[in-house]
């Protein structure tokens, strides 16, 4: 009977270790799922920020914006026909 009792204790110990392993794995899985959700939200925020910055860059580099800055801040203007000089090509 002593051999059967030892086998039963060993099996019980293995079952308990297996149960603790399942609990640990489940907890780890939940934590990683939460981290994945956070990473996906952060990715979405970064995509939104990138789209916003691309739109802003497009607005700042639009021809009308460049012309406005040239006129107002740099005091530039288009040359009049009398101020234009045509340079012949050297072909």
């Amino acid at each position: 009977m002593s051999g059967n009792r030892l086998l039963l204790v060993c099996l019980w110990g293995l079952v308990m270790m297996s149960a603790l392993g399942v609990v640990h794995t489940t907890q780890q899985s939940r934590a990683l799922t939460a981290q994945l959700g956070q990473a996906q939200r952060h990715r979405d925020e970064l995509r939104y920020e990138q789209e916003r910055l691309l739109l802003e860059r497009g607005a700042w580099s639009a021809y009308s914006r460049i012309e406005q800055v040239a006129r107002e801040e740099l005091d530039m203007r288009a040359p009049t026909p009398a101020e234009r000089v045509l340079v012949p090509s050297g072909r």
Side-chain angles (χ1 to χ4, degrees), residues 57-74:
R57 182 178 71 178
W60 282 102
S61 65
Y63 181 76
S64 60
R65 172 71 181 146
I66 294 170
E67 186 177 4
Q68 177 188 6
V69 169
R71 287 179 196 264
E72 294 174 2
E73 295 180 19
L74 302 175

Side-chain angles (χ1 to χ4, degrees), residues 7-77:
L7 179 63
L8 185 62
V9 169
C10 287
L11 288 176
W12 179 254
L14 290 174
V15 166
M16 292 306 290
M17 287 176 49
S18 175
L20 289 174
V22 168
V23 168
H24 175 72
T25 303
T26 303
Q27 179 61 28
Q28 196 173 23
S29 174
R30 287 180 182 160
L32 290 173
T33 302
Q35 282 182 337
L36 176 63
Q38 268 186 324
Q40 288 173 337
R41 281 190 297 278
H42 188 64
R43 177 204 60 202
D44 293 342
E45 290 170 5
L46 289 175
R47 279 186 183 166
Y48 172 75
E49 180 74 10
Q50 180 188 24
E51 290 174 8
R52 189 185 65 74
L53 290 173
L54 287 173
L55 286 173
E56 188 175 335
R57 182 178 71 178
W60 282 102
S61 65
Y63 181 76
S64 60
R65 172 71 181 146
I66 294 170
E67 186 177 4
Q68 177 188 6
V69 169
R71 287 179 196 264
E72 294 174 2
E73 295 180 19
L74 302 175
D75 208 24
M76 297 175 78
R77 61 175 174 75

